[in-house]
Amino acid sequence: MADPLIILDCMVFWFYPWFHAPVLLVAMGFSLAGAAVQLFLLRRTGKARWFPLLGAGIMAALEVIYQLNQFHMISTIQGHGIWNYIGFGVVVLYVLFGMLIGWLVSLAFDRLRPGGRTGQVP
């Protein structure tokens, strides 16, 4: 039987903080940090494409390392070391979630602002 993907493991544990209040505060802190950075980049530069791509790239790199370990090509995850990878992956998922929130807030500012973007091409 093939081993599961680490991204799926991270997504399963991504829901864990929603049921535990102290951990939820930490998770929301990562989300707010992601939202703040994304919103700042969108409002100041208008271009923030690299920030979500960075998060997606980190998740892809974690997946590659995990799969190379599963096929015994490298040996970086030993014993309980997998929890470090999963924990870091969950943090990245919360930051990505915050980036989505920051993008939505920036989009709402643009739509509600007088003379703002309407999504129509002239």
Side-chain angles (χ1 to χ4, degrees), residues 12-26:
V12 167
F13 286 101
W14 188 80
F15 291 106
Y16 172 79
W18 293 104
F19 304 106
H20 295 83
V23 183
L24 179 63
L25 294 175
V26 174

Side-chain angles (χ1 to χ4, degrees), residues 14-90:
W14 188 80
F15 291 106
Y16 172 79
W18 293 104
F19 304 106
H20 295 83
V23 183
L24 179 63
L25 294 175
V26 174
M28 288 298 101
F30 287 118
S31 292
L32 288 174
V37 170
Q38 182 73 0
L39 189 59
F40 174 78
L41 290 173
L42 284 169
R43 303 313 294 168
R44 293 289 180 197
T45 66
K47 297 177 184 174
R49 291 186 190 134
W50 65 269
F51 193 51
L53 290 175
L54 178 67
I58 290 171
M59 291 303 293
L62 287 175
E63 184 63 43
V64 167
I65 291 171
Y66 180 73
Q67 292 302 327
L68 288 174
N69 271 286
Q70 294 305 313
F71 290 106
H72 305 292
M73 301 202 144
I74 60 174
S75 181
T76 59
I77 304 174
Q78 306 256 337
H80 296 290
I82 185 65
W83 297 110
N84 295 331
Y85 283 83
I86 290 175
F88 186 69
V90 172

Side-chain angles (χ1 to χ4, degrees), residues 111 117-121:
R111 299 278 173 138
R117 289 186 263 175
T118 60
Q120 299 175 355
V121 178

Side-chain angles (χ1 to χ4, degrees), residues 91-106:
V91 167
V92 172
L93 283 175
Y94 271 104
V95 171
L96 284 170
F97 177 62
M99 287 182 233
L100 176 64
I101 293 169
W103 175 73
L104 290 173
V105 169
S106 178

Side-chain angles (χ1 to χ4, degrees), residues 104-116:
L104 290 173
V105 169
S106 178
L107 186 63
F109 282 155
D110 287 342
R111 299 278 173 138
L112 297 174
R113 184 182 65 197

